[in-house]
Amino acid sequence: MDILIVLYRTILFYFVIAIVYRFMGKREVGELSIMDLIVSILIAELAAMAIDKYKSNVFISLVPICALVIIQIITAKISLKSPEVREKIEGEPSIIINRGKVNFEEMLHQRYNLDDLLTQLREKSIKSLEEVDYAILETSGKLSVFLKDKDHSYPLPVILDGKVDKETLVQIGKDEEWLNKRLKDNNVSAKQVFYAFYKNNHLFFIENENVK
C-alpha cells in the first residue's frame, strides 16, 4: 500500500510540476534568472518532501507550490512593465570585454575570474582573447560573445523597454543629445521605444505600441 501511495504522489507531482512550468513560461535551464532558479529549487524540494512524507496530507505541499507560482507570475508581469523592478530583481548584463579590452574591474565586481572567462570562450570554440571584440555576461550567467569584425556589423542596444543604455552611447561615441535629436526626427520619445539599436552608423528602433 505504501508503495502505491508513493507511486501515486510521484505521478501527481510530475504532472503538477509540468503544469507549473507551463504557467511560468518556456525558458531553457541555462537561461533561468536568479528568481526562476530559486523558485525551481523550492518547488523541487517541496515535491521531494511530499513524496518522502507520504503519510502527510498531499494538499499541504500543493499550497506552497501554488503560492510560489503565483508570486513568480506576478513578479514576472511587474518586471515586464517596469525595467527598474526587473533590474533590481534580475540585475543587469555586465560588459566583460569592451572593444577587445578586458574589464578586470567589472570581473572583480561580479566575482568572475579569468579562468571562468577563458572556459566559456573555449566552449564557444574561441581560441584567444584577441579574437573577441565584446563579451557580455548575461544575468543568466551565460556569456554572449561578439568576435572582431572589420565592419562591426553587429547591433548594439541603445534603448531597451524605454530605458536608455548610457554605456552603449559611450561605446559608439554618442551622447543623449544626439539620441534625443534622432528620436525627435522620428516623432517619438525614449519611453515609446521598445528596442533601439545602433548598427553600421545608423540608429534603428522598434516602437512600443502599448505606450503613446
Side-chain angles (χ1 to χ4, degrees):
M1 180 63 70
D2 290 346
I3 294 176
L4 291 176
I5 294 174
V6 171
L7 180 61
Y8 156 72
R9 291 198 172 205
T10 302
I11 296 172
L12 172 64
F13 279 97
Y14 170 82
F15 285 105
V16 167
I17 292 175
I19 293 170
V20 161
Y21 278 93
R22 289 288 291 175
F23 274 108
M24 286 174 60
K26 297 178 180 178
R27 190 176 292 191
E28 294 180 12
V29 174
E31 297 176 349
L32 291 178
S33 67
I34 293 174
M35 292 299 294
D36 291 331
L37 184 60
I38 291 171
V39 171
S40 298
I41 292 172
L42 287 174
I43 289 175
E45 285 293 323
L46 288 168
M49 288 170 59
I51 294 171
D52 185 51
K53 298 179 180 180
Y54 57 86
K55 292 184 179 180
S56 63
N57 191 328
V58 69
F59 293 103
I60 293 176
S61 297
L62 288 175
V63 170
I65 289 177
C66 291
L68 285 171
V69 174
I70 292 171
I71 292 171
Q72 180 66 4
I73 291 173
I74 292 173
T75 303
K77 287 187 176 180
I78 294 174
S79 296
L80 283 172
K81 294 182 179 180
S82 173
E84 290 79 12
V85 173
R86 182 168 61 250
E87 181 181 325
K88 294 293 183 184
I89 293 175
E90 300 184 0
E92 287 185 301
S94 301
I95 300 176
I96 302 301
I97 299 178
N98 187 354
R99 294 185 177 180
K101 295 182 179 180
V102 179
N103 189 343
F104 290 104
E105 185 178 343
E106 185 63 26
M107 289 176 66
L108 182 62
H109 178 69
Q110 297 295 332
R111 293 178 293 281
Y112 184 80
N113 59 50
L114 190 57
D115 286 337
D116 294 331
L117 175 59
L118 294 175
T119 298
Q120 289 193 290
L121 290 177
R122 286 195 297 269
E123 288 174 351
K124 297 179 180 294
S125 301
I126 298 172
K127 299 176 183 178
S128 171
L129 287 170
E130 296 177 354
E131 300 178 43
V132 182
D133 199 9
Y134 286 92
I136 302 170
L137 186 63
E138 307 293 352
T139 55
S140 63
K142 294 181 68 176
L143 188 71
S144 298
V145 179
F146 298 92
L147 298 179
K148 289 182 177 178
D149 191 354
K150 292 181 180 179
D151 61 2
H152 298 282
S153 60
Y154 49 82
L156 293 172
V158 176
I159 300 176
L160 185 61
D161 280 353
K163 183 178 179 181
V164 177
D165 192 326
K166 295 180 181 179
E167 289 187 10
T168 298
L169 288 177
V170 172
Q171 291 170 32
I172 62 179
K174 305 295 182 182
D175 54 23
E176 290 192 59
E177 185 179 347
W178 169 86
L179 176 61
N180 291 332
K181 186 178 185 304
R182 294 294 179 279
L183 293 172
K184 187 177 180 180
D185 290 342
N186 289 277
N187 297 316
V188 294
S189 65
K191 291 183 178 180
Q192 293 175 287
V193 177
F194 177 70
Y195 178 61
F197 61 92
Y198 187 78
K199 180 179 179 182
N200 294 334
N201 298 319
H202 288 87
L203 181 67
F204 303 88
F205 58 87
I206 301 172
E207 290 187 52
N208 189 340
E209 296 181 355
N210 296 320
V211 179
K212 302 296 182 183

